[in-house]
Amino acid sequence: GAAGTSVGSRIKGHTKRGGRKITNQHRQYCIVGHTNEHRTSRICSACYRPVSLMTAKRIKNGSIKTVRLHGAVQCRYKHCPRYKSGRQTQGRDANSAINIATAGASSLLSVNNTTLPPFRP
């Protein structure tokens, strides 16, 4: 059946494409691999340590407040290659995309189709 493949579900009036039909269409032209996105937005793509949301200071009603910036993540691990080079801040989507590509490639290249330990559920 189509259970768990999002076929036929509607999101804001649009049907969601997915599942076996589109996977089979893509398999005619290339190798298709499904990637579990577990923890991809919560770890650094350079050292695989936890990241935190970037913070900034804002003045509101005469007082200084610290706010979180939801579009950027920052690695705070002192031995991270990105931290050492002064580039510890990265866009959240870019960091996740690198991690998803790494998790997908590691599962395709491994003998038993498992991902690297930081991405395992």
Side-chain angles (χ1 to χ4, degrees):
T5 59
S6 300
V7 174
S9 68
R10 298 185 66 79
I11 298 174
K12 292 187 181 180
H14 300 282
T15 56
K16 187 175 178 183
R17 289 194 66 190
R20 222 169 277 138
K21 182 178 178 182
I22 196 167
T23 300
N24 290 334
Q25 289 173 350
H26 285 269
R27 281 194 177 138
Q28 293 175 0
Y29 304 103
C30 62
I31 297 171
V32 176
H34 291 277
T35 304
N36 186 352
E37 297 178 10
H38 180 72
R39 290 179 41 109
T40 55
S41 62
R42 295 183 178 178
I43 59 174
C44 177
S45 58
C47 67
Y48 306 115
R49 301 275 181 148
V51 294
S52 59
L53 288 175
M54 185 71 186
T55 58
K57 295 189 188 232
R58 303 281 190 246
I59 298 174
K60 191 171 186 180
N61 297 331
S63 63
I64 299 173
K65 297 198 180 219
T66 303
V67 295
R68 291 180 292 173
L69 303 177
H70 296 287
V73 292
Q74 182 178 29
C75 182
R76 297 183 189 269
Y77 182 58
K78 305 287 184 203
H79 301 293
C80 175
R82 189 172 290 137
Y83 188 91
K84 287 180 177 179
S85 67
R87 298 175 184 260
Q88 67 267 25
T89 303
Q90 188 175 21
R92 188 176 65 175
D93 291 342
N95 185 56
S96 296
I98 293 168
N99 285 337
I100 290 169
T102 304
S106 68
S107 68
L108 284 174
L109 297 173
S110 71
V111 176
N112 54 358
N113 291 334
T114 58
T115 60
L116 294 173
F119 304 113
R120 291 182 192 155

